[in-house]
Amino acid sequence: MATSRTGTAKYKAWRTRTLHAAQQQGITHCPCKANCTHHAGRRCNVWLDYVVSRRPNSAEPDHIVPHALGGRETRDNGAVLCRRCNQSVGDKTTNRQRRTKQTVPTIRFGRAT
Ligand SMILES: [Zn+2]
Ligand SMILES: [Zn+2]
């Protein structure tokens, strides 16, 4: 907990830069197309709140190349996602990694809606 990656100055600077870039690109809705549990099989497309954080639709930065695969807090490795999508990144990372090697069963644990 004390070593949280998201608490570092480096992360915060990267977060600010990534969100700023996304706003400049005119990204107003979550572009996530991953297999997140809350929008499986569809685009997320929720309106992104760049002002208020910690809301389900708050804009948050995502690592394009996951940290687990060597992705860093660089200008090229940030993409915006809504908070709900960002919070399922752990799952997605595992999913992405597995997908390149073998077929992943689509049945997942998680709250059904
Ligand atoms: Zn989303
Ligand atoms: Zn998503």
Side-chain angles (χ1 to χ4, degrees):
M1 211 161 175
T3 55
S4 169
R5 244 194 322 119
T6 58
T8 64
K10 190 181 165 195
Y11 177 87
K12 283 176 187 167
W14 175 75
R15 177 185 189 277
T16 304
R17 201 167 58 206
T18 301
L19 296 186
H20 192 77
Q23 282 179 286
Q24 286 193 319
Q25 287 164 36
I27 300 172
T28 55
H29 292 72
C30 180
C32 180
K33 285 180 280 188
N35 221 9
C36 298
T37 47
H38 63 100
H39 65 87
R42 297 181 283 131
R43 272 191 130 190
C44 178
N45 217 33
V46 305
W47 177 74
L48 291 167
D49 193 334
Y50 285 96
V51 180
V52 185
S53 59
R54 296 175 188 278
R55 293 251 175 99
N57 68 325
S58 294
E60 294 196 342
D62 178 42
H63 292 86
I64 295 169
V65 178
H67 232 261
L69 298 181
R72 302 279 167 78
E73 282 78 25
T74 59
R75 186 181 291 271
D76 293 341
N77 197 37
V80 72
L81 282 182
C82 74
R83 183 173 167 83
R84 284 179 81 181
C85 286
N86 200 24
Q87 287 187 329
S88 54
V89 150
D91 267 317
K92 276 194 314 186
T93 305
T94 316
N95 214 0
R96 272 185 208 150
Q97 280 179 288
R98 285 209 203 119
R99 202 184 294 150
T100 59
K101 290 171 190 160
Q102 62 193 58
T103 312
V104 191
T106 48
I107 300 160
R108 315 191 62 81
F109 295 106
R111 210 180 296 170
T113 46

